[in-house]
Amino acid sequence: MRNISISKLIIALLVLLVAGSDSNLLAQTPIEFRGNRQYRRRGLMNGNLVHTLFWNYGEIGDYPHEPSGSWPTPEAHYLDDITLIVSVEVENRDGVLIHPMETQYREFVDTSPEGVPWGFEPRPYWFNMDARENQSPAMSNDPITWPENWLDKPSDWSGYWNGYFGKGIFNAQ
């Protein structure tokens, strides 16, 4: 039963990442709201006997840092890393089928001519961006990690968790 819950969590995270990576949306998004590696934050999920480090750009686990991912105790290491990989099949200008991929993993990521990795990056204002107070993505169990206002909600949501099940509703440990 716990594996199903973890699977649902991972699937929900991946769906959110894919939904947020629409290229038309990016073209319409002002530059100050676009993803950038400067907004990367690492968090620790620790509930339902699962312990794992995760990043807000779609990577779950952080090998060799511990606890990269473990179940049922933090002493057991069971996870290297898991990350989202999006691939499509398209025909290039010469009529050849190609399969470009997008990810943000510690390996196999293309870089710009300046050496900056190309891949998924977190967007600002979805967590408390005050680096003096917070180095974590927004987490339901830690209000200090929440942004002052949720970008997708009216101002009366300030101070409440912006959860899947509604304003301030917590459904998991």
Side-chain angles (χ1 to χ4, degrees), residues 73-89:
T73 66
E75 292 81 31
H77 174 87
Y78 290 95
L79 174 68
D80 180 11
D81 284 342
I82 299 169
T83 195
L84 174 68
I85 299 174
V86 176
S87 180
V88 296
E89 182 176 271

Side-chain angles (χ1 to χ4, degrees), residues 75-150:
E75 292 81 31
H77 174 87
Y78 290 95
L79 174 68
D80 180 11
D81 284 342
I82 299 169
T83 195
L84 174 68
I85 299 174
V86 176
S87 180
V88 296
E89 182 176 271
V90 296
E91 194 173 296
N92 71 10
R93 293 179 185 146
D94 299 325
V96 176
L97 285 179
I98 60 172
H99 303 87
M101 292 180 10
E102 182 81 19
T103 189
Q104 188 59 274
Y105 193 58
R106 67 176 187 262
E107 304 166 322
F108 312 118
V109 176
D110 286 336
T111 58
S112 72
E114 297 79 26
V116 177
W118 284 331
F120 299 117
E121 293 295 356
R123 295 177 67 187
Y125 309 110
W126 287 96
F127 57 93
N128 176 355
M129 292 182 36
D130 186 345
R132 295 168 297 173
E133 291 183 31
N134 178 47
Q135 292 294 311
S136 174
M139 296 184 63
S140 64
N141 64 342
D142 189 1
I144 193 71
T145 65
W146 305 349
E148 188 174 322
N149 298 300
W150 297 104

Side-chain angles (χ1 to χ4, degrees), residues 36-55:
N36 190 300
R37 65 186 299 110
Q38 74 183 11
Y39 305 125
R40 288 181 173 192
R41 299 292 188 272
R42 184 174 80 168
L44 173 65
M45 282 196 249
N46 183 1
N48 297 325
L49 301 179
V50 175
H51 303 263
T52 187
L53 294 172
F54 70 99
W55 290 91

Side-chain angles (χ1 to χ4, degrees), residues 2-22:
R2 286 187 181 107
N3 290 339
I4 292 172
S5 298
I6 294 168
S7 298
K8 287 180 181 179
L9 173 67
I10 291 170
I11 289 169
L13 177 63
L14 297 178
V15 167
L16 287 172
L17 286 170
V18 171
S21 65
D22 182 346

